[in-house]
Amino acid sequence: MLELRQAWLHPRAGEPYRVQQLFTELLIAVEKERAMDEQNALPWLEDALAFMEAHYHQEVTREQLASRANVSPEHFSRMFRKHTGRTYTAHLTLLRVRHAQRRLLTQSMVLHALAQEVGYKESTYLSRKFTELVKLSPTRYQHKPKRIAALNVNHTASLLALGVVPELGVYTTWLREQLSGSCHAGRRLEDSLAQSEAYYRSIAAAEPDVIIHYEAAEGNRQLLPVAPVLEIPVVTMGWREQFEYLGAIVNRLERARHWLEQFTHQVEACNQQLDHRLGCRGTAMVWEICDHAAYGIGSCYGRGAQILYEELGFHVPQKAMEQSMLTEGYMEVPIEQITDYSADYLFVTSLPTEREALRRVEQLFLSEQWQSMEAVRQDHAYILDHGELFYGYDPLSSAAQLKRFMEVLCPNHNII
């Protein structure tokens, strides 16, 4: 810039375009600096957003976050608005109101206490901010029937079991087949488009009052402007607990508990049949064979494992327990290494779709190692291959999985 100023004030003979040249070079330098500034902004912006999500209920100022990021408050504001579409103050308000909505969905609260919890000193101020954003007062929001967007098939199925059709849900072909004659399906969210612009447009177009998804699922933060996201733990909350939780959200807790009570009676009847036919259950392995690997599944990841281990009394083999099954809830092995994990019973819930993977599975089933497995020798190896049915970790799927297991474990017996 100093060079440009000098050239402008004291033009050189024989260099008629030097000012234009220096000005162009200045523009290029500024653009490079801007691009680098934008690239370097992402890490500190992510840190700022995470900090706000953890401390929104405290007195956190823009200046404090700018100092934390080692940038000026003005630069912080520019970059924050550019990447979020909101000012710092608007984003803080959004976080506080969304938390208030989630609290009102899960339990009754005195408005003054709720205001203090989210960071406001007065309930009237919370009520005003709440109404501006949600277009309803906190009381009206709490009592109105909710338009729900369920972003995975398990929560969609759980709501359907409660007689609630979500405004937007994820449906497998199997789930749609179960609805014939009972209730209609709502609008379908194509989860194959997850995280795309079309995916977010579909959710926003449904105008939900609440979004239900798994905890820490990718994209939950981007949904913040649309509606509060109720994040349900993936591993630490079993399907029964999730079902009751959703029942409370939609004011059908008693219906959820009645359904679970009936299911428990079915399980007891099944165990009586298994006691008569099998006696001691022994060990069992549940395998999901995909195109590139096989997955041994623990009860917290469903695939029918929750039925075998938690309801019907089968046990995980010791070797599988010593692997990541205990810490991660599942383990991944090459397809050919399934034979390394012997069990009294073996269930393959799905097979791969790629030709090469199917060839590997066929070779496995013909191998001496497979034929020598205890479950295979005792005719206790069951190739069920119904991926959509066993994928579900919800009431409807669990009931269907229980029935399918009983069909193979107790043929010609009374099936529930």
Side-chain angles (χ1 to χ4, degrees), residues 129-318:
K129 290 296 182 181
F130 192 106
T131 304
E132 288 174 0
L133 182 64
V134 184
K135 309 306 178 189
L136 292 170
S137 70
T139 303
R140 287 188 61 194
Y141 176 80
Q142 187 174 27
H143 293 102
K144 71 162 287 192
K146 305 297 188 295
R147 294 166 60 91
I148 300 174
L151 304 193
N152 61 78
V153 67
N154 294 328
H155 298 144
T156 301
S158 294
L159 291 168
L160 293 172
L162 292 166
V164 175
V165 180
E167 189 68 27
L168 188 67
V170 177
Y171 296 84
T172 61
T173 302
W174 178 84
L175 181 56
R176 283 185 173 272
E177 291 172 353
Q178 307 313 301
L179 301 181
S180 57
S182 56
C183 65
H184 69 281
R187 293 168 58 187
R188 181 176 182 177
L189 176 64
E190 296 291 346
D191 58 341
S192 60
L193 301 176
Q195 319 318 321
S196 67
E197 288 187 19
Y199 177 81
Y200 290 111
R201 282 200 303 269
S202 297
I203 299 171
E207 299 181 347
D209 298 304
V210 57
I211 298 169
I212 298 172
H213 205 8
Y214 279 120
E215 186 179 54
E218 185 179 357
N220 282 356
R221 180 186 287 171
Q222 286 86 332
L223 292 168
L224 196 66
V226 179
V229 181
L230 284 183
E231 297 184 302
I232 298 180
V234 180
V235 176
T236 58
M237 185 181 285
W239 70 270
R240 285 173 176 263
E241 295 171 284
Q242 293 182 35
F243 189 41
E244 287 194 84
Y245 180 78
L246 292 175
I249 296 300
V250 297
N251 296 317
R252 300 201 179 187
L253 180 57
E254 288 307 312
R255 180 164 179 165
R257 287 174 174 170
H258 177 72
W259 194 100
L260 291 171
E261 183 180 356
Q262 295 298 110
F263 181 75
T264 298
H265 291 326
Q266 292 177 337
V267 170
E268 290 172 352
C270 290
N271 275 312
Q272 289 177 5
Q273 293 186 42
L274 292 176
D275 288 341
H276 178 74
R277 182 175 178 85
L278 305 181
C280 180
R281 303 294 188 268
T283 58
M285 279 296 297
V286 176
W287 290 102
E288 182 180 55
I289 307 181
C290 300
D291 290 331
H292 304 291
Y295 296 87
I297 308 296
S299 59
C300 60
Y301 276 93
R303 305 326 195 253
Q306 81 279 12
I307 301 298
L308 289 172
Y309 300 139
E310 296 180 3
E311 311 291 355
L312 299 182
F314 290 88
H315 306 287
V316 179
Q318 183 61 34

